[in-house]
Amino acid sequence: MGNNILYIEDNPDNMMLVKRALEARGYILIEAMTGLKGVDTAENHEVDLILLDINLPDIDGYEVARRLRASAKKALAYTPIIAITANALKGDAEKALSAGCDVYMSKPINIRELWARVEAFVPAPDQKA
Ligand code: MN
């Protein structure tokens, strides 16, 4: 298993925050700023985990998750997807999960929660024995 994490996010501040936090643990962050770019990147690169913003400028995160799960690239049916959204409204978690996401996190992003959720799927490279 590799250390490549794809983050699909249109907000540059969140992108920078997560990039710094994950690179500090030895992960490699791959960036995509739109939903369509995210799907394309996942299909054409080796990706071990996907962080997925729900509010995106083109197709939303739910649609991204559905397309990833239905992709011709079979590995994407099982690649962990962590949904991240600003909408703490009830029902969003269920919607993300039913679209194919494994876990749900709400913004603002808490770095310790992020590390814990990512490490649950992909061990931190800096902490491998
Ligand atoms: Mn967004």
Side-chain angles (χ1 to χ4, degrees):
M1 183 188 256
N3 311 314
N4 297 328
I5 299 177
L6 169 63
Y7 187 18
I8 306 171
E9 167 67 82
D10 60 310
N11 180 303
D13 293 333
N14 285 330
M15 184 66 83
M16 183 57 66
L17 176 75
V18 167
K19 183 179 171 67
R20 286 182 179 150
L22 294 181
E23 287 183 350
R25 291 292 173 104
Y27 296 105
I28 295 163
L29 193 81
I30 302 168
E31 305 178 20
M33 304 287 283
T34 67
L36 290 173
K37 181 94 191 305
V39 172
D40 183 69
T41 302
E43 289 181 331
N44 292 291
H45 291 78
E46 192 186 314
V47 170
D48 301 291
L49 181 144
I50 298 165
L51 295 170
L52 177 60
D53 179 32
I54 294 300
N55 299 306
L56 293 164
D58 50 351
I59 56 173
D60 67 25
Y62 305 120
E63 179 62 19
V64 171
R66 283 190 288 269
R67 291 189 188 194
L68 292 172
R69 292 314 189 206
S71 174
K73 182 180 174 182
K74 296 300 177 199
L76 292 177
Y78 309 103
T79 303
I81 302 175
I82 301 176
I84 304 175
T85 182
N87 300 324
L89 296 174
K90 218 172 177 182
D92 276 11
E94 289 77 4
K95 212 173 161 187
L97 297 179
S98 69
C101 298
D102 296 286
V103 178
Y104 174 93
M105 276 180 65
S106 53
K107 290 181 181 177
I109 296 166
N110 176 289
I111 296 302
R112 290 186 183 284
E113 181 186 7
L114 175 70
W115 280 334
R117 294 211 181 272
V118 169
E119 283 169 15
F121 294 107
V122 182
D126 285 358
Q127 296 178 359
K128 276 180 188 165

